[in-house]
Amino acid sequence: MMHSVENRFIAIVCGAMLTFIAPLIVLLLTLSSERVARERLQNVQILMEAGAQALGKPLWDFDTDGIEQIAKSLIANADVLWVHVEDSSGSISVRIPPGPVDTSVPHTTISKEILYNSQDGEKSVGTVEIWVSAPGTLSRFSKDELIVFVILVVAVGIVFASAIIGNRITVIRPLMRLTAAIEATRRLGSRHHVDWTSDDEMGTLAHNFNEMQSRLEREETELKLAHGRATDIYNLTPSMLFSLDPANCITAVSDYWLIATGYSRDQVIGRTFTDFVDEHWHETYRARRSNGNATHANICEVTVPFIKANGETMTVLILEMKSATGDEHGGLSLSVMTDVTELKQAESRNHAQAITDHLTGLLNRQGFEAALDDAIRNADETATQLACIFIDLDRFKWINDNFGHAAGDEVLRQVVTRVRTTLRPDDTMSRLGGDEFAILVNAEQVEALASEIGDRICASLHEPIPVEGAELSVSASIGIALYPIHAANAAELLLKSDMAMYARKRDGKNGMLVFDTSMLDSARERHEMEQNIEAGLKEGWFEAYLQPIVSLCDGRIAGFEALMRLNHPEKGILPPGKIISIAEETGSIARIGERVLEKAVGHLARLTQLEGTETTYLAVNFSPLQFEETLPHKLAALLLKHHISPARIVIEITEAVLMLDNPDVHAVLKQLSEFGCRIALDDFGTGYSSLSYLNRFPVDIVKVDQSFTRSLTTGTADVRRKSRMLIKGIRTISHQMGCTVVAEGIETKEQWALLRKLGLDYGQGYLFSRPMPIENMLLMLEMESEAKATHRA
């Protein structure tokens, strides 16, 4: 049986002969045959011309014998089948051969008119018609021509046979030997060479094949050595190495893997790796390829519980690298397995510590946020409601400042103990930071339950808390928000419970309040006010209005109190109380105080230029946040700039400043007093221990709160009597301490008369003047001066 290469070669040669040589031979035969046919026809036509000329005289003379002789001479030509001579009158008709003619024989008919030159000129005397045979293609050739064609065909056949024999000798035989060498290598495993040498391409092919076989033999030897070394390294590496096929079946494990897991190699080879993984983690392991390594794209990692041979479970971290030869469906992989059981246990402990408040043992903010997310998911799944109870302790900062942080920590611990007694076992409590706590309550109708818990929490804090021999009173401001009624997510729920708590704190503390939408308006109002404050600081909208402080005995202006006002270009004067409250919470009060102080001192400098105001003083309110170490230096520089004596400046402070009991505040007040400024205690009589402040701090002026002034002429007779006694007592104590007394909020002449009778020194209020801008104040003072001058004149 021929080999395919030889078949293809024969097919190519045959195709070439059929495509090129055969058409050429056929074309040659056709052209030669047509040439021979044309030559024979031309010979017959010449013969017929001669015959036609010879027949002219016999036809004229009606010589029938002569006509037949000439016709016979025409038919003597081998190519002429039939001759017919006829005169013009139809009386003579000679046919050679006589009788009917076989018209089925292929032939060509030619005819010629017979002319005779008579005395009257050339005349047609008849016609001659000849049938010429039409021979076949080969029959047209002579014997010599056919011999030439046969020789040509034989030559082509010899070339064809020579090509096949040459191909078998030069191509097929070496290919057969090459194939035999390859087959022997495949069957026997050893590298066989080709026994063929020639100085052509096949010889080069055989030589290259032999060299390749030699090189592959050397490489196989080296590969076996490398495989042996790799196997040794695989087994001796102190790591749990294993390999998987695309079906996740174990194909190899290292010796260290067997030692660490307790299995034998026969027990694991061929088994699916998930057979050794806790069943709840099978899907996690199968999805490991989606957890790609950020550094190496073809490395994936997964952490799963692995079951050892003795039944124990260890947590393992698996790093798997796919083989570079693997296709898109997965290939062989190499994995390293590390026992991270202790690490995971440490992480769990660290996580527990990270989400736990070390002081109270409650969840911290991070833990609470995670618990809140879980609680919302649970509420969605069970179609229940969730309440967030936000707790902020009242006066806790005062406890820390006056009794120390250790006492404050003990208060927190006892508060947690009391609050826990009001909760259900499955309620979640956390300490968000400082004195802020949050509680999660889940129920079908949670609002009533949360309100009840809030009331119980407030009641649990009614009794004082004993700490280091002292009993400290603590109350709580509580805000409650509900999911999904008030909030759509965790952040919103926490925010709205916080808003409810702050609303409760603003309404007087020590109580509970459930969130409602009006609080959003308050929050928007507050946010708008914060923006106005920042814009006022940036654009210079803050102004210092002045209100006169007059002598109660004669009505003479003794000084001015500078009052902060924010004059919005569109909204006008904004409520100062809200501005101060928000500014103290946001910390911007210090910047506002600096702007107002600077403007107020500038106003005093302008007022000093008027007659009779050279000795008037300026009272400026200071927030507790303004008492920094640099305050005396800033004030000194400001007074020096406007040429104002420090004795004309009164620093007004409230009990909030003194209650801080801060050594730094004491030092600043002392520096201001030594500098020459006077200290005024504002809103005297409304605090817890105002009398002690007169002894402990350098107070020069006591300002009686306007509530006492108002009660002199309002309410029952008993209230008016007690108010007079209180004011008289404040005046007596203050004068004995060397302090001047100023009454605030004087609005009627009756109040003025009573206060003057009670011996108070100065007063201020709407009766004398409302707070006004500096331009209005200058105009008012100038008009009064003119009126006095006119009166004196």
Side-chain angles (χ1 to χ4, degrees):
M1 181 179 180
M2 288 189 178
H3 292 272
S4 59
V5 174
E6 189 171 13
N7 289 337
R8 286 196 295 270
F9 178 78
I10 293 173
I12 291 171
V13 173
C14 291
M17 291 183 65
L18 292 174
T19 304
F20 300 106
I21 297 175
L24 290 175
I25 293 174
V26 172
L27 179 61
L28 179 60
L29 289 173
T30 303
L31 294 176
S32 299
S33 176
E34 290 179 355
R35 178 184 57 78
V36 172
R38 283 196 306 270
E39 289 177 354
R40 289 184 176 183
L41 184 59
Q42 288 174 359
N43 293 334
V44 173
Q45 287 177 340
I46 293 171
L47 182 62
M48 186 178 65
E49 287 285 344
Q53 292 178 5
L55 285 171
K57 181 70 169 62
L59 282 177
W60 181 263
D61 293 334
F62 294 98
D63 183 2
T64 304
D65 293 334
I67 294 170
E68 289 181 354
Q69 290 297 324
I70 295 171
K72 290 179 179 179
S73 65
L74 290 174
I75 205 170
N77 191 298
D79 294 324
V80 177
L81 297 177
W82 182 63
V83 177
H84 178 209
V85 180
E86 185 178 20
D87 67 342
S88 299
S89 61
S91 56
I92 298 174
S93 177
V94 177
R95 291 181 173 82
I96 306 259
V101 181
D102 187 3
T103 58
S104 64
V105 177
H107 65 276
T108 300
T109 302
I110 59 176
S111 62
K112 177 67 176 177
E113 189 177 11
I114 303 172
L115 301 176
Y116 176 72
N117 290 322
S118 65
Q119 294 178 356
D120 298 329
E122 190 175 57
K123 292 184 179 181
S124 173
V125 295
T127 58
V128 57
E129 181 180 359
I130 299 176
W131 286 13
V132 181
S133 65
T137 301
L138 294 179
S139 63
R140 296 176 182 176
F141 296 100
S142 64
K143 183 177 181 181
D144 294 338
E145 289 175 332
L146 291 176
I147 291 173
V148 171
F149 283 124
V150 171
I151 292 172
L152 177 60
V153 172
V154 171
V156 172
I158 292 172
V159 171
F160 176 70
S162 299
I164 293 175
I165 295 171
N167 177 68
R168 174 174 287 275
I169 294 172
T170 60
V171 177
I172 300 303
R173 185 178 297 173
L175 285 180
M176 291 288 291
R177 295 189 181 182
L178 178 62
T179 303
I182 294 172
E183 181 65 18
T185 301
R186 184 184 66 81
R187 287 187 294 101
L188 302 177
S190 58
R191 294 290 170 180
H192 286 256
H193 290 232
V194 179
D195 184 17
W196 181 268
T197 56
S198 62
D199 190 14
D200 56 11
E201 289 81 357
M202 298 307 296
T204 303
L205 176 62
H207 176 72
N208 291 338
F209 177 81
N210 292 336
E211 285 190 347
M212 180 188 70
Q213 292 288 73
S214 299
R215 186 173 65 254
L216 289 176
E217 189 172 6
R218 292 192 301 270
E219 290 177 354
E220 284 179 355
T221 303
E222 294 174 359
L223 186 61
K224 290 178 181 178
L225 294 174
H227 180 266
R229 289 193 295 268
T231 302
D232 292 340
I233 294 173
Y234 189 86
N235 288 320
L236 296 176
T237 299
S239 297
M240 290 183 281
L241 303 179
F242 64 96
S243 298
L244 301 177
D245 63 12
N248 285 329
C249 293
I250 300 175
T251 59
V253 293
S254 66
D255 292 347
Y256 190 83
W257 192 94
L258 298 173
I259 294 172
T261 60
Y263 292 101
S264 65
R265 190 168 270 105
D266 294 337
Q267 289 178 299
V268 298
I269 298 299
R271 293 179 62 181
T272 305
F273 188 79
T274 50
D275 293 346
F276 306 97
V277 176
D278 187 285
E279 61 181 354
H280 300 97
W281 291 80
H282 284 185
E283 288 303 321
T284 301
Y285 179 76
R286 294 190 186 102
R288 66 193 183 281
R289 297 194 185 280
S290 61
N291 302 323
N293 189 283
T295 306
H296 301 285
N298 60 338
I299 294 181
C300 60
E301 61 182 72
V302 65
T303 302
V304 293
F306 183 90
I307 303 172
K308 299 166 67 174
N310 58 7
E312 295 180 359
T313 300
M314 65 176 175
T315 303
V316 295
L317 169 65
I318 299 174
L319 293 178
E320 179 179 328
M321 174 175 282
K322 295 172 60 179
S323 172
T325 60
D327 57 20
E328 61 180 359
H329 302 292
L332 292 176
S333 65
L334 175 64
S335 303
V336 57
M337 191 167 74
T338 305
D339 185 358
V340 294
T341 304
E342 294 184 1
L343 178 61
K344 283 296 180 181
Q345 292 173 350
E347 285 181 356
S348 299
R349 289 193 298 269
N350 292 338
H351 178 69
Q353 293 175 358
I355 63 173
T356 303
D357 176 54
H358 69 281
L359 177 64
T360 61
L362 302 175
L363 292 174
N364 59 15
R365 178 176 287 274
Q366 179 183 350
F368 174 77
E369 290 174 352
L372 181 55
D373 291 335
D374 293 339
I376 286 180
R377 281 194 296 270
N378 181 62
D380 291 338
E381 293 171 358
T382 58
T384 56
Q385 296 178 348
L386 180 68
C388 180
I389 304 175
F390 201 104
I391 304 173
D392 185 88
L393 300 183
D394 304 323
R395 298 184 68 245
F396 180 74
K397 187 176 185 306
W398 181 85
I399 293 175
N400 260 345
D401 293 340
N402 289 274
F403 292 90
H405 289 282
D409 291 345
E410 180 59 26
V411 167
L412 291 176
R413 283 190 287 266
Q414 292 198 38
V415 166
V416 170
T417 301
R418 293 188 183 186
V419 171
R420 274 178 165 168
T421 61
T422 68
L423 304 179
R424 301 176 303 170
D426 55 346
D427 295 335
T428 302
M429 182 176 181
S430 66
R431 181 189 177 199
L432 301 182
D435 60 339
E436 292 183 338
F437 300 88
I439 300 171
L440 296 178
V441 178
N442 185 284
E444 290 186 0
Q445 299 295 327
V446 77
E447 182 173 359
L449 177 59
S451 299
E452 180 184 344
I453 291 175
D455 291 336
R456 292 204 299 260
I457 292 173
C458 292
S460 70
L461 299 177
H462 283 169
E463 294 296 325
I465 296 177
V467 177
E468 298 179 355
E471 291 190 344
L472 304 178
S473 296
V474 177
S475 61
S477 298
I478 301 174
I480 299 175
L482 311 178
Y483 173 87
I485 299 174
H486 298 145
N489 52 55
E492 193 176 347
L493 181 64
L494 185 59
L495 173 64
K496 290 186 175 178
S497 62
D498 190 15
M499 291 171 62
M501 182 276 294
Y502 271 109
R504 173 68 259 180
K505 194 173 283 287
R506 286 193 296 269
D507 289 346
K509 305 180 181 180
N510 190 23
M512 177 203 66
L513 196 62
V514 178
F515 174 84
D516 64 67
T517 53
S518 64
M519 297 177 187
L520 292 174
D521 297 332
S522 300
R524 281 193 292 268
E525 247 180 68
R526 176 186 174 87
H527 179 65
E528 184 179 354
M529 188 65 75
E530 290 178 3
Q531 290 182 319
N532 291 333
I533 290 172
E534 290 301 320
L537 289 169
K538 182 179 180 181
E539 303 295 336
W541 296 342
F542 282 98
E543 297 179 2
Y545 275 35
L546 299 178
Q547 185 178 36
I549 300 173
V550 302
S551 172
L552 294 181
C553 62
D554 56 10
R556 177 182 57 83
I557 296 178
F560 304 89
E561 180 177 4
L563 299 171
M564 180 276 298
R565 295 291 185 269
L566 197 163
N567 191 358
H568 195 280
E570 297 176 359
K571 302 176 182 178
I573 301 298
L574 300 182
K578 287 186 177 180
I579 293 174
I580 293 173
S581 174
I582 293 173
E584 286 183 339
E585 290 182 19
T586 60
S588 59
I589 190 66
R591 290 186 291 160
I592 296 174
E594 288 182 5
R595 304 287 177 86
V596 174
L597 176 62
E598 184 174 355
K599 288 190 174 184
V601 172
H603 295 344
L604 181 62
R606 294 182 64 183
L607 291 170
T608 303
Q609 297 176 6
L610 298 176
E611 182 182 356
T613 59
E614 298 85 354
T615 59
T616 55
Y617 69 86
L618 177 70
V620 183
N621 292 280
F622 279 78
S623 166
L625 300 178
Q626 290 181 261
F627 284 89
E628 301 174 348
E629 294 181 3
T630 58
L631 178 60
H633 303 288
K634 291 180 180 179
L635 182 59
L638 188 59
L639 296 179
L640 182 62
K641 174 183 176 182
H642 293 282
H643 307 289
I644 302 295
S645 169
R648 298 179 64 191
I649 302 298
V650 173
I651 308 298
E652 287 198 5
I653 58 176
T654 62
E655 284 188 17
V657 177
L658 304 180
M659 284 175 63
L660 293 174
D661 201 16
N662 190 321
D664 295 333
V665 175
H666 293 183
V668 172
L669 286 173
K670 183 179 179 182
Q671 289 182 37
L672 292 172
S673 180
E674 292 174 350
F675 180 55
C677 298
R678 288 180 289 172
I679 309 298
L681 183 57
D682 200 8
D683 301 332
F684 188 82
T686 59
Y688 292 98
S689 52
S690 299
L691 293 177
S692 66
Y693 298 143
L694 299 180
N695 185 41
R696 294 166 55 195
F697 298 97
V699 178
D700 301 291
I701 299 174
V702 173
K703 301 190 74 172
V704 178
D705 187 70
Q706 60 181 344
S707 61
F708 292 105
T709 302
R710 192 178 302 112
S711 63
L712 286 175
T713 55
T714 58
T716 63
D718 184 57
V719 171
R720 294 196 298 271
R721 179 181 62 81
K722 289 180 179 180
S723 296
R724 288 195 297 272
M725 292 177 61
L726 285 171
I727 293 174
K728 188 175 181 180
I730 292 172
R731 182 265 301 167
T732 301
I733 294 173
S734 299
H735 283 174
Q736 289 179 353
M737 298 292 291
C739 299
T740 302
V741 183
V742 179
E744 295 181 307
I746 302 173
E747 298 181 354
T748 65
K749 290 184 178 180
E750 182 183 2
Q751 292 171 348
W752 182 9
L754 288 172
L755 290 168
R756 181 171 54 191
K757 185 177 179 181
L758 289 172
L760 271 67
D761 303 307
Y762 300 100
Q764 65 185 97
Y766 287 176
L767 176 64
F768 306 112
S769 173
R770 290 177 177 271
M772 61 180 65
I774 181 60
E775 300 300 335
N776 295 2
M777 182 62 67
L778 289 171
L779 181 61
M780 184 188 75
L781 294 177
E782 288 174 355
M783 292 176 63
E784 287 184 0
S785 298
E786 291 175 0
K788 290 178 181 178
T790 304
H791 178 73
R792 284 197 299 269

